[in-house]
Amino acid sequence: DAGVIQSPRHEVTEMGQEVTLRCKPISGHNSLFWYRQTMMRGLELLIYFNNNVPIDDSGMPEDRFSAKMPNASFSTLKIQPSEPRDSAVYFCASSFAQKNQPQHFGDGTRLSIL
Amino acid sequence: AQSVTQPDIHITVSEGASLELRCNYSYGATPYLFWYVQSPGQGLQLLLKYFSGDTLVQGIKGFEAEFKRSQSSFNLRKPSVHWSDAAEYFCAVVFGGATNKLIFGTGTLLAVQP
């Protein structure tokens, strides 16, 4: 029973480069969430989708960040250009789109921007 | 404003001792309540959830939580802690309205002494 799959697990790149994080949600789930976790700010919701449509992107830090969900089984979070302050662990989670349904998290992508 | 508070940032207990982690929320009605655990380098794993019915809920790994409406609390408990329980614990809430967005507390880091 596959869980939420994120890739890559680790990414190290130089500032200014484009970074693309990928997520495959659990089959059948129709909500997808992108989070960022840092020591300073804790766990922050960046954006979430219901039925592939972005519902709330108020957590996206700035225009350098963008997220897409072209179909029910794939989503990307892109940072362009990347900056050292973007270094964090990025989590993807999926769930059924009801309030009582728990979110299932991937193992995260640890991103380091040099 | 709707909020989730975990007042204890860090807790240390001895192996075999009992554990209680606190969670309070600010909301006029009963929200949907969740506890998650995060081990180092891992994503978040659901321990248990509550949204109606019996106010004492059982979860995985021997954890339980009790919802107390009068105190706006949903504290997590375990009668006897094991060394493998050392991790970070997050209380999370879905409030009312159309959203199924989770609001996370800041987390409690649990250390277990031998």
Coordinates of all heavy atoms in Angstrom, one line a residue, chain A residues 43-94:
Chain A
L43 N 6.2 24.2 11.2 CA 5.6 23.6 10.0 C 4.6 24.7 9.4 O 3.7 25.1 10.1 CB 4.8 22.4 10.5 CG 4.4 21.4 9.5 CD1 5.5 20.8 8.7 CD2 3.6 20.2 10.2
E44 N 4.8 25.0 8.2 CA 4.0 26.0 7.5 C 3.3 25.4 6.3 O 3.9 24.8 5.5 CB 4.8 27.2 7.0 CG 5.7 27.9 8.0 CD 6.6 28.9 7.3 OE1 7.7 28.4 6.8 OE2 6.2 30.1 7.2
L45 N 2.0 25.7 6.2 CA 1.3 25.3 5.0 C 1.5 26.3 3.9 O 1.3 27.5 4.1 CB -0.2 25.2 5.3 CG -1.1 24.9 4.0 CD1 -0.8 23.4 3.5 CD2 -2.6 25.0 4.4
L46 N 2.0 25.8 2.8 CA 2.3 26.7 1.6 C 1.1 26.9 0.7 O 0.7 28.0 0.4 CB 3.5 26.2 0.8 CG 4.8 26.0 1.6 CD1 5.9 25.4 0.7 CD2 5.3 27.4 2.2
I47 N 0.5 25.7 0.3 CA -0.6 25.7 -0.6 C -1.3 24.4 -0.5 O -0.7 23.4 -0.1 CB -0.1 26.0 -2.1 CG1 -1.2 26.1 -3.1 CG2 0.9 24.9 -2.5 CD1 -0.8 26.5 -4.5
Y48 N -2.6 24.4 -0.8 CA -3.3 23.1 -0.9 C -4.3 23.1 -2.1 O -4.8 24.2 -2.5 CB -3.9 22.6 0.4 CG -5.3 23.2 0.7 CD1 -6.4 22.5 0.5 CD2 -5.3 24.4 1.5 CE1 -7.6 23.0 0.9 CE2 -6.6 24.8 1.9 CZ -7.7 24.1 1.6 OH -8.9 24.6 2.0
F49 N -4.5 21.9 -2.6 CA -5.3 21.7 -3.8 C -6.5 20.8 -3.4 O -6.3 19.8 -2.6 CB -4.6 21.0 -4.9 CG -3.4 21.7 -5.5 CD1 -2.2 21.8 -4.9 CD2 -3.6 22.4 -6.7 CE1 -1.1 22.5 -5.4 CE2 -2.5 23.1 -7.2 CZ -1.3 23.1 -6.6
N50 N -7.7 21.0 -3.9 CA -8.7 20.1 -3.8 C -9.1 19.8 -5.3 O -9.4 20.7 -6.1 CB -10.0 20.6 -3.1 CG -9.8 20.5 -1.6 OD1 -8.9 19.9 -1.1 ND2 -10.7 21.1 -0.9
N51 N -9.2 18.5 -5.6 CA -9.5 18.1 -7.0 C -8.7 18.8 -8.0 O -9.2 19.3 -9.0 CB -11.0 18.3 -7.2 CG -11.9 17.4 -6.3 OD1 -11.7 16.2 -6.1 ND2 -12.8 18.1 -5.6
N52 N -7.4 18.9 -7.7 CA -6.4 19.5 -8.6 C -6.5 21.0 -8.8 O -5.7 21.6 -9.5 CB -6.5 18.9 -10.1 CG -6.5 17.4 -10.1 OD1 -6.1 16.7 -9.1 ND2 -7.1 16.8 -11.1
V53 N -7.4 21.6 -8.0 CA -7.6 23.1 -8.1 C -6.9 23.7 -6.9 O -7.3 23.3 -5.7 CB -9.0 23.5 -8.2 CG1 -9.2 25.0 -8.2 CG2 -9.7 22.8 -9.5
P54 N -6.1 24.7 -7.0 CA -5.5 25.4 -5.8 C -6.6 26.1 -5.1 O -7.4 26.9 -5.6 CB -4.5 26.4 -6.4 CG -4.9 26.6 -7.8 CD -5.6 25.3 -8.3
I55 N -6.7 25.8 -3.8 CA -7.8 26.4 -2.9 C -7.2 27.6 -2.1 O -7.9 28.6 -1.9 CB -8.4 25.3 -2.0 CG1 -8.9 24.2 -2.8 CG2 -9.4 26.0 -1.1 CD1 -10.0 24.6 -3.8
D56 N -6.0 27.4 -1.6 CA -5.5 28.4 -0.7 C -4.0 28.4 -0.9 O -3.3 27.5 -0.5 CB -5.8 28.1 0.8 CG -5.3 29.1 1.8 OD1 -4.5 30.0 1.4 OD2 -5.8 29.0 3.0
D57 N -3.5 29.5 -1.4 CA -2.0 29.7 -1.6 C -1.5 30.8 -0.8 O -0.4 31.3 -1.1 CB -1.7 29.8 -3.1 CG -2.2 31.1 -3.7 OD1 -3.0 31.8 -2.9 OD2 -1.9 31.5 -4.8
S58 N -2.2 31.2 0.2 CA -1.8 32.3 1.1 C -0.5 32.1 1.8 O 0.2 33.0 2.2 CB -2.9 32.7 2.1 OG -3.1 31.6 2.9
G59 N -0.1 30.8 1.9 CA 1.2 30.5 2.6 C 2.4 30.5 1.7 O 3.6 30.4 2.1
M60 N 2.2 30.7 0.4 CA 3.3 30.8 -0.5 C 4.1 32.0 -0.3 O 3.6 33.1 -0.3 CB 2.9 30.7 -2.0 CG 2.2 29.4 -2.3 SD 3.3 28.0 -2.5 CE 3.5 28.0 -4.3
P61 N 5.4 31.9 0.0 CA 6.2 33.1 0.5 C 6.3 34.2 -0.4 O 6.2 35.4 0.0 CB 7.5 32.5 0.9 CG 7.5 31.0 0.7 CD 6.2 30.7 0.0
E62 N 6.5 33.9 -1.7 CA 6.6 35.0 -2.7 C 6.5 34.4 -4.1 O 6.3 33.2 -4.2 CB 7.9 35.7 -2.5 CG 9.1 34.8 -2.3 CD 10.3 35.5 -1.6 OE1 11.1 36.2 -2.4 OE2 10.5 35.4 -0.4
D63 N 6.6 35.3 -5.0 CA 6.4 34.9 -6.4 C 7.4 33.9 -6.9 O 7.2 33.3 -8.0 CB 6.4 36.1 -7.4 CG 5.2 37.0 -7.1 OD1 4.2 36.5 -6.4 OD2 5.2 38.1 -7.6
R64 N 8.5 33.7 -6.2 CA 9.5 32.8 -6.6 C 9.0 31.3 -6.5 O 9.5 30.4 -7.0 CB 10.8 32.9 -5.8 CG 11.5 34.3 -6.0 CD 12.8 34.3 -5.2 NE 12.6 34.2 -3.7 CZ 12.9 33.1 -3.1 NH1 13.4 32.0 -3.7 NH2 12.7 33.0 -1.8
F65 N 8.0 31.2 -5.7 CA 7.4 29.8 -5.4 C 6.1 29.7 -6.3 O 5.3 30.6 -6.4 CB 7.0 29.7 -4.0 CG 8.1 29.5 -3.0 CD1 9.0 30.5 -2.7 CD2 8.3 28.3 -2.4 CE1 10.1 30.4 -1.9 CE2 9.4 28.1 -1.5 CZ 10.2 29.1 -1.2
S66 N 6.0 28.5 -6.9 CA 4.8 28.2 -7.6 C 4.6 26.7 -7.5 O 5.5 25.9 -7.3 CB 5.0 28.5 -9.1 OG 6.0 27.8 -9.7
A67 N 3.3 26.3 -7.6 CA 2.9 24.9 -7.4 C 1.9 24.6 -8.5 O 1.0 25.4 -8.8 CB 2.4 24.6 -6.0
K68 N 1.9 23.4 -9.0 CA 1.0 22.9 -10.0 C 0.5 21.5 -9.6 O 1.2 20.7 -9.0 CB 1.6 22.9 -11.4 CG 2.0 24.3 -11.9 CD 2.5 24.2 -13.3 CE 2.9 25.5 -13.9 NZ 3.5 25.5 -15.2
M69 N -0.7 21.2 -10.1 CA -1.2 19.9 -10.0 C -1.9 19.5 -11.3 O -3.1 19.7 -11.4 CB -2.1 19.7 -8.8 CG -2.4 18.3 -8.4 SD -3.1 18.1 -6.8 CE -3.2 16.3 -6.7
P70 N -1.2 19.0 -12.2 CA -1.7 18.8 -13.6 C -2.7 17.7 -13.6 O -3.6 17.7 -14.5 CB -0.5 18.5 -14.4 CG 0.6 18.1 -13.5 CD 0.3 18.8 -12.2
N71 N -2.6 16.7 -12.7 CA -3.6 15.6 -12.6 C -3.6 15.1 -11.2 O -2.9 15.6 -10.3 CB -3.2 14.5 -13.6 CG -1.8 14.0 -13.4 OD1 -1.5 13.5 -12.3 ND2 -0.9 14.1 -14.4
A72 N -4.5 14.2 -11.0 CA -4.8 13.7 -9.6 C -3.6 12.9 -9.0 O -3.6 12.6 -7.8 CB -6.0 12.8 -9.6
S73 N -2.6 12.6 -9.8 CA -1.6 11.7 -9.3 C -0.2 12.4 -9.2 O 0.8 11.7 -9.0 CB -1.5 10.4 -10.1 OG -1.2 10.7 -11.4
F74 N -0.2 13.7 -9.4 CA 1.1 14.3 -9.5 C 1.0 15.8 -9.2 O 0.1 16.5 -9.7 CB 1.7 14.2 -10.9 CG 3.1 14.7 -11.1 CD1 4.2 14.1 -10.4 CD2 3.4 15.8 -11.9 CE1 5.5 14.6 -10.6 CE2 4.7 16.3 -12.1 CZ 5.7 15.7 -11.4
S75 N 2.0 16.3 -8.4 CA 2.1 17.7 -8.1 C 3.6 18.1 -8.0 O 4.4 17.3 -7.7 CB 1.4 18.1 -6.8 OG 1.6 19.4 -6.5
T76 N 3.8 19.4 -8.4 CA 5.2 19.9 -8.3 C 5.2 21.2 -7.5 O 4.2 22.0 -7.5 CB 5.8 20.2 -9.7 OG1 5.0 21.1 -10.4 CG2 6.0 18.9 -10.4
L77 N 6.2 21.5 -6.8 CA 6.5 22.8 -6.1 C 7.8 23.3 -6.7 O 8.8 22.6 -6.6 CB 6.6 22.6 -4.6 CG 6.9 23.9 -3.8 CD1 5.8 24.8 -3.9 CD2 7.2 23.5 -2.4
K78 N 7.8 24.5 -7.3 CA 9.0 25.0 -8.0 C 9.4 26.3 -7.3 O 8.6 27.1 -6.9 CB 8.6 25.2 -9.4 CG 9.8 25.6 -10.3 CD 9.4 25.6 -11.8 CE 9.1 24.2 -12.3 NZ 8.8 24.2 -13.8
I79 N 10.7 26.4 -7.2 CA 11.3 27.6 -6.6 C 12.3 28.1 -7.7 O 13.2 27.4 -8.1 CB 12.1 27.4 -5.3 CG1 11.2 26.6 -4.3 CG2 12.5 28.7 -4.7 CD1 11.9 26.2 -3.0
Q80 N 12.0 29.4 -8.1 CA 12.9 29.9 -9.2 C 12.9 31.5 -9.0 O 11.8 32.1 -9.2 CB 12.4 29.5 -10.6 CG 13.0 30.3 -11.7 CD 14.5 30.1 -11.9 OE1 15.1 29.2 -11.4 NE2 15.1 31.0 -12.6
P81 N 14.0 32.1 -8.8 CA 15.3 31.5 -8.4 C 15.4 31.1 -6.9 O 14.7 31.8 -6.1 CB 16.3 32.6 -8.8 CG 15.5 33.9 -8.5 CD 14.1 33.6 -8.9
S82 N 16.1 30.1 -6.6 CA 16.2 29.7 -5.2 C 17.2 30.6 -4.4 O 18.1 31.2 -5.0 CB 16.7 28.3 -5.1 OG 18.0 28.1 -5.8
E83 N 17.0 30.7 -3.1 CA 17.8 31.5 -2.2 C 18.1 30.7 -1.0 O 17.4 29.8 -0.7 CB 17.1 32.8 -1.8 CG 16.7 33.7 -3.0 CD 16.1 35.0 -2.5 OE1 15.9 35.2 -1.3 OE2 15.7 35.8 -3.4
P84 N 19.3 31.0 -0.3 CA 19.6 30.2 0.9 C 18.5 30.1 1.9 O 18.4 29.1 2.6 CB 20.9 31.0 1.4 CG 21.5 31.6 0.2 CD 20.3 32.0 -0.7
R85 N 17.7 31.2 2.0 CA 16.6 31.2 3.1 C 15.5 30.2 2.7 O 14.6 30.0 3.5 CB 16.1 32.5 3.3 CG 15.5 33.2 2.1 CD 15.2 34.7 2.3 NE 14.9 35.4 1.1 CZ 13.7 36.0 0.9 NH1 12.8 36.0 1.8 NH2 13.5 36.6 -0.3
D86 N 15.6 29.6 1.5 CA 14.6 28.6 1.1 C 15.0 27.2 1.7 O 14.2 26.3 1.5 CB 14.4 28.5 -0.4 CG 14.0 29.8 -1.0 OD1 13.3 30.6 -0.3 OD2 14.4 30.1 -2.2
S87 N 16.1 27.1 2.2 CA 16.6 25.8 2.8 C 15.6 25.4 3.9 O 15.4 26.1 4.8 CB 18.0 25.9 3.3 OG 18.9 26.3 2.3
A88 N 15.1 24.2 3.7 CA 14.1 23.6 4.7 C 13.8 22.2 4.3 O 14.3 21.7 3.3 CB 12.8 24.5 4.6
V89 N 12.9 21.6 5.0 CA 12.4 20.3 4.6 C 10.9 20.6 4.1 O 10.1 21.3 4.8 CB 12.3 19.3 5.7 CG1 11.7 18.0 5.2 CG2 13.7 19.1 6.3
Y90 N 10.7 20.1 2.9 CA 9.4 20.4 2.3 C 8.6 19.0 2.3 O 9.1 18.0 1.8 CB 9.6 20.9 0.8 CG 10.1 22.3 0.8 CD1 11.5 22.5 0.9 CD2 9.3 23.4 0.6 CE1 12.0 23.8 1.0 CE2 9.8 24.7 0.6 CZ 11.1 24.9 0.8 OH 11.6 26.1 0.8
F91 N 7.4 19.1 2.8 CA 6.6 17.9 2.9 C 5.3 18.1 2.0 O 4.8 19.2 1.9 CB 6.1 17.7 4.3 CG 7.1 17.2 5.3 CD1 7.7 18.1 6.2 CD2 7.5 15.9 5.3 CE1 8.7 17.7 7.1 CE2 8.5 15.5 6.2 CZ 9.1 16.4 7.1
C92 N 5.0 17.0 1.4 CA 3.7 16.9 0.7 C 2.8 15.9 1.5 O 3.3 14.9 2.1 CB 4.0 16.3 -0.7 SG 2.5 16.0 -1.7
A93 N 1.5 16.2 1.5 CA 0.6 15.4 2.2 C -0.7 15.3 1.4 O -1.0 16.2 0.6 CB 0.2 15.9 3.6
S94 N -1.4 14.2 1.5 CA -2.7 14.0 0.8 C -3.7 13.5 1.7 O -3.4 12.8 2.7 CB -2.5 13.1 -0.5 OG -2.3 11.8 -0.1

